Amino acid sequence: MASVIEAGWTYLITHFSDFQLACVGSFILHELVFFLSGLPFIYIERAGWLRKYKIQAKNNSSEAQEKCITRLLFYHFCVNLPVMLASYPVFRFMGMRSSLPLPKVMSTQILFYFIVEDFIFYWGHRILHTKWLYKHIHSVHHEYATPFGLTSEYAHPAEILFLGFATIFGPAITGPHLITLWLWMVVRVLETVEAHCGYHFPWSPSNFLPLYGGSDFHDYHHRLIYTKSGNYSSTFVYMDWIFGTDHGYRKLKALKTEEEVAEFKEN
């Protein structure tokens, strides 16, 4: 397997420049992972499949879903791609490389990126829920009170830059190998799509990973008004736990558990 990956990577670095791989390659990879993981949830919702796992009963209209896709394409080409192009010199300056050999251990760096991203994202997201910033910027993301996978990146351009900083800061200061950066991007995209998918499955990561937020945690954030939502965390929820901003969510979960226990006893 390692030899196959190395052979594929050798082909890439032989036929494309570092700039092409880091900018255009990253953009193409992002679009593929994002839309291939997010689009199925639109069709699942429209078809009414897996309804017992849907967190909210309400569905989004076809028009709302199409509006989301159209805006996303515009934002991706007019905001995300220029940011990738502009940030390339910074990554190169910090030591990013694409040459062989490939890194043998990437998990430590990825874990570090999660920790950094969770901290910055929490405070940035919490600030966006102040009155003025919510009204003029963050309310765009909350147009979808019933989120679906693709709404994860539906946001005001200023928010894309503001919270996107949290995602790229860790890699920017460490100068990783490009394949590590790509792995981080793939994992992060899959995580945020899952958090906005609107479904909580038996195989959802939050059922197995301690402190992982996931769809149920973030769906609660979307369906409450901005001053009372809480649940500001990105991937792992320890920041909300430390600062008590998940109190309402935990109270709701406790009530549901009590109701389930009572119903079980009655039966």
Side-chain angles (χ1 to χ4, degrees):
M1 183 64 181
S3 60
V4 173
I5 295 173
E6 284 197 2
W9 195 260
T10 300
Y11 177 86
L12 289 176
I13 62 177
T14 303
H15 291 80
F16 302 98
S17 68
D18 281 356
F19 177 80
Q20 289 172 323
L21 290 173
C23 298
V24 181
S26 296
F27 181 75
I28 293 172
L29 178 63
H30 172 274
E31 297 304 287
L32 287 173
V33 174
F34 178 71
F35 283 105
L36 288 177
S37 62
L39 282 172
F41 290 106
I42 286 181
Y43 298 111
I44 290 171
E45 185 177 290
R46 288 185 181 182
W49 299 336
L50 304 172
R51 288 203 63 83
K52 67 177 181 177
Y53 300 121
K54 198 169 188 305
I55 299 169
Q56 296 187 50
K58 179 184 175 183
N59 285 340
N60 291 282
S61 66
S62 298
E63 292 76 17
Q65 292 171 337
E66 289 163 8
K67 173 190 172 184
C68 177
I69 294 172
T70 303
R71 292 276 185 91
L72 281 171
L73 289 171
F74 175 75
Y75 292 151
H76 285 183
F77 280 96
C78 297
V79 180
N80 293 22
L81 181 57
V83 168
M84 288 181 179
L85 296 171
S87 62
Y88 174 74
V90 176
F91 280 89
R92 288 291 294 173
F93 177 78
M94 295 304 294
M96 185 185 73
R97 65 180 182 86
S98 60
S99 58
L100 293 172
L102 296 175
K104 296 188 181 299
V105 179
M106 292 180 277
S107 56
T108 305
Q109 279 186 299
I110 299 297
L111 177 60
F112 174 71
Y113 299 159
F114 269 120
I115 293 170
V116 171
E117 201 265 350
D118 278 332
F119 180 84
I120 298 175
F121 186 97
Y122 174 85
W123 289 111
H125 192 188
R126 191 168 174 178
I127 289 169
L128 284 172
H129 274 263
T130 55
K131 188 175 182 179
W132 191 91
L133 287 173
Y134 184 89
K135 179 181 179 181
H136 296 282
I137 295 176
H138 194 47
S139 59
V140 174
H141 181 64
H142 279 268
E143 285 178 18
Y144 293 90
T146 307
F148 53 95
L150 296 182
T151 60
S152 57
E153 294 191 4
Y154 181 88
H156 190 284
E159 179 175 343
I160 295 172
L161 296 174
F162 187 47
L163 292 183
F165 172 78
T167 301
I168 67 170
F169 183 73
I173 63 174
T174 58
H177 192 283
L178 181 58
I179 200 170
T180 305
L181 180 63
W182 281 4
L183 178 60
W184 163 240
M185 181 173 66
V186 168
V187 172
R188 183 69 182 90
V189 168
L190 293 176
E191 179 279 321
T192 193
V193 168
E194 191 276 332
H196 289 81
C197 73
Y199 292 82
H200 184 71
F201 302 110
W203 56 86
S204 293
S206 57
N207 293 329
F208 307 100
L209 296 176
L211 298 177
Y212 183 89
S215 55
D216 188 62
F217 183 86
H218 195 68
D219 201 279
Y220 174 87
H221 173 82
H222 269 265
R223 64 181 184 263
L224 267 68
I225 61 174
Y226 79 96
T227 54
K228 297 181 179 180
S229 59
N231 289 23
Y232 303 116
S233 294
S234 173
T235 304
F236 297 99
V237 302
Y238 57 89
M239 292 292 289
D240 276 297
W241 181 78
I242 291 171
F243 294 99
T245 44
D246 62 347
H247 178 73
Y249 173 74
R250 286 189 286 114
K251 185 176 181 180
L252 178 64
K253 295 293 287 184
L255 288 172
K256 284 186 176 180
T257 301
E258 290 176 4
E259 290 174 0
E260 290 169 359
V261 170
E263 185 178 344
F264 176 79
K265 287 180 177 178
E266 287 176 3
N267 294 330

